Amino acid sequence: MKTALHTFIKGGALALGLGLLASAGDARAQESSSTRHRLSIYATAGAQVYLSDTRTIGGVGGGIGVRDTLNDRFILQADLSYLSLLGNTASFRVGAGVQRSGSYAPAALLTVSTLFGERLSFLTPEHPTRISGPGVTVGITAAPVRFDLQSVQVSVLQLGVGVGSDLPGLGLSYSVGLLEVGAAF
């Protein structure tokens, strides 16, 4: 668990550092111009799971979300998904990140995910009673195969990893987005 956490922290720091460096030059050039917002609605399909020593939450499904793209570079988004397979589960995810400008627009986001609903629970000496709250994680999501065509956004693959706390222990969250299609309005 500790090596996974260290790898997660190093990877997150690297992704955020590269994103900030890539956007630093663009930010200076756009300081004199006003901020341009582009709102879009998107539908997503994929899988998400939260694993710890005391519970497993997640499944496969789809959802809807809303995204604001600032100056064709910065992304703010929120989505709600229904997941099944391990029971009836809902996922609420909020993210902020950067994307490459242009038609081919890979992106990296810092995300906060909340999984709630049915779960598999395990009783351990550290947790003699069931944890009833949602699984909350902070993580990173990379979208390497993503296209932004001004009025339509398509992402074919998104990979995410996150870390949460089931005190006294950690939980890890993994997500795979298979398809995401959005339309600007």
Side-chain angles (χ1 to χ4, degrees), residues 32 38 53 55 63 75-76 86 128 156 165 167 172 180:
S32 62
R38 185 170 39 121
D53 291 340
R55 59 188 172 167
I75 300 170
L76 303 170
L86 295 174
V156 179
S165 179
L167 295 174
L172 295 175
E180 183 178 285

Side-chain angles (χ1 to χ4, degrees), residues 145-149 152-156 179-182:
V145 186
R146 189 170 177 277
F147 302 93
D148 188 349
L149 306 171
V152 175
Q153 301 95 35
V154 177
S155 180
V156 179
L179 180 64
E180 183 178 285
V181 178

Side-chain angles (χ1 to χ4, degrees), residues 88-109:
N88 295 315
T89 305
S91 169
F92 179 66
R93 183 177 63 167
V94 177
V98 294
Q99 74 174 6
R100 180 181 176 274
S101 293
S103 296
Y104 173 63
L109 293 101

Side-chain angles (χ1 to χ4, degrees), residues 19-108:
L20 290 173
L21 284 175
S23 65
D26 231 18
R28 285 188 208 114
Q30 294 179 358
E31 282 177 1
S32 62
S33 67
S34 65
T35 303
R36 294 182 320 270
H37 292 270
R38 185 170 39 121
L39 293 174
S40 57
I41 295 175
Y42 61 93
T44 183
Q48 188 173 2
V49 67
Y50 176 84
L51 304 169
S52 74
D53 291 340
T54 58
R55 59 188 172 167
T56 299
I57 310 169
V60 177
I64 59 170
V66 63
R67 176 181 299 123
D68 186 11
T69 306
L70 306 165
N71 295 329
D72 293 327
R73 171 67 76 180
F74 301 101
I75 300 170
L76 303 170
Q77 67 181 33
D79 57 53
L80 182 64
S81 298
Y82 169 76
L83 306 171
S84 64
L85 197 59
L86 295 174
N88 295 315
T89 305
S91 169
F92 179 66
R93 183 177 63 167
V94 177
V98 294
Q99 74 174 6
R100 180 181 176 274
S101 293
S103 296
Y104 173 63

Side-chain angles (χ1 to χ4, degrees), residues 111-185:
T111 58
V112 176
S113 298
T114 304
L115 285 162
F116 47 95
E118 295 178 1
R119 68 199 73 211
L120 298 174
S121 296
F122 311 102
L123 301 180
T124 65
E126 294 84 18
H127 291 281
T129 59
R130 182 176 171 236
I131 296 176
S132 60
V136 179
T137 60
V138 175
I140 55 171
T141 300
V145 186
R146 189 170 177 277
F147 302 93
D148 188 349
L149 306 171
Q150 295 303 318
S151 61
V152 175
Q153 301 95 35
V154 177
S155 180
V156 179
L157 177 66
Q158 293 184 8
L159 302 171
V161 64
V163 64
S165 179
D166 281 347
L167 295 174
L170 291 177
L172 295 175
S173 172
Y174 302 98
S175 65
V176 175
L178 300 176
L179 180 64
E180 183 178 285
V181 178
F185 59 91

